[in-house]
Amino acid sequence: MTEPSATGVPAYSETLRRIPESVTKARRLVSSSLRVWRLEGAEDAAWLVVSELFTNTVVHARMDCVRVTVSRVDEQVVRVAVIDCSHAKPQVREAGADDECGRGLALVDAVSTDWGVDPLRWGKRVWAEVKCGGR
C-alpha cells in the first residue's frame, strides 16, 4: 500500500517484498510520486536510483521486506530512499571491464546531486537526491 507521509514533507512510501520483481513496483511508486508533483523530468534518473538501490537490498540485505520512500525536498528535487534491516554500509566500487556487477552506486553518484547512508537502530536508509531536468 502506498502511503503519503505524515511528517509535513510531501512524500510517499511503500513496503515491498525483497525480491527482484519488486523493482518494478518501486519504479511505479517513483513515477506516481513524480507525476503528482509534476516533476516527470526527474523520472529517468530517479528510476535508475531506485532500481540500483533496491537491487542492492535484494542482493545484500536481510529480512523479507524493504521500505521505499520518495520525498519532495524542494520545488525541483526529490529524494529516493531504500530502507532495509542490514547495517552493512554500501561502498562505491571500481568495477573491472569484465565485471558483471559493482557499478550501481557509481551510477547513483553520477545521476544524483547527493546521496548517502543514514544508520538506523535496526538497519539503514540509503538515499539519493535527483533534480528535475538533470544533475
Side-chain angles (χ1 to χ4, degrees), residues 24-64:
T24 301
K25 292 178 181 178
R27 287 184 192 138
R28 275 192 220 126
L29 174 66
V30 166
S31 292
S32 297
S33 303
L34 294 176
R35 257 185 256 122
V36 167
W37 299 323
R38 297 187 176 153
L39 294 175
E40 293 92 342
E43 188 172 56
D44 290 342
W47 267 33
L48 185 129
V49 165
V50 78
S51 298
E52 294 300 334
L53 297 184
F54 198 96
T55 299
N56 279 350
T57 66
V58 170
V59 174
H60 301 290
R62 50 193 176 109
M63 302 301 279
D64 293 333

Side-chain angles (χ1 to χ4, degrees), residues 65-134:
C65 294
V66 176
R67 188 87 172 158
V68 177
T69 65
V70 185
S71 36
R72 188 170 182 175
V73 176
D74 68 27
E75 289 186 16
Q76 295 295 310
V77 178
V78 295
R79 178 180 280 198
V80 176
V82 176
I83 303 150
D84 64 47
C85 292
S86 170
H87 289 286
K89 188 175 178 181
Q91 302 287 326
V92 177
R93 296 182 5 182
E94 265 194 55
D98 296 331
D99 291 345
E100 292 184 17
C101 58
R103 293 175 180 82
L105 288 177
L107 289 171
V108 168
D109 185 59
V111 301
S112 64
T113 56
D114 195 14
W115 73 276
V117 180
D118 299 330
L120 305 170
R121 184 172 38 91
W122 42 265
K124 69 179 173 305
R125 175 187 305 108
V126 184
W127 56 269
E129 292 182 353
V130 176
K131 186 172 184 178
C132 185

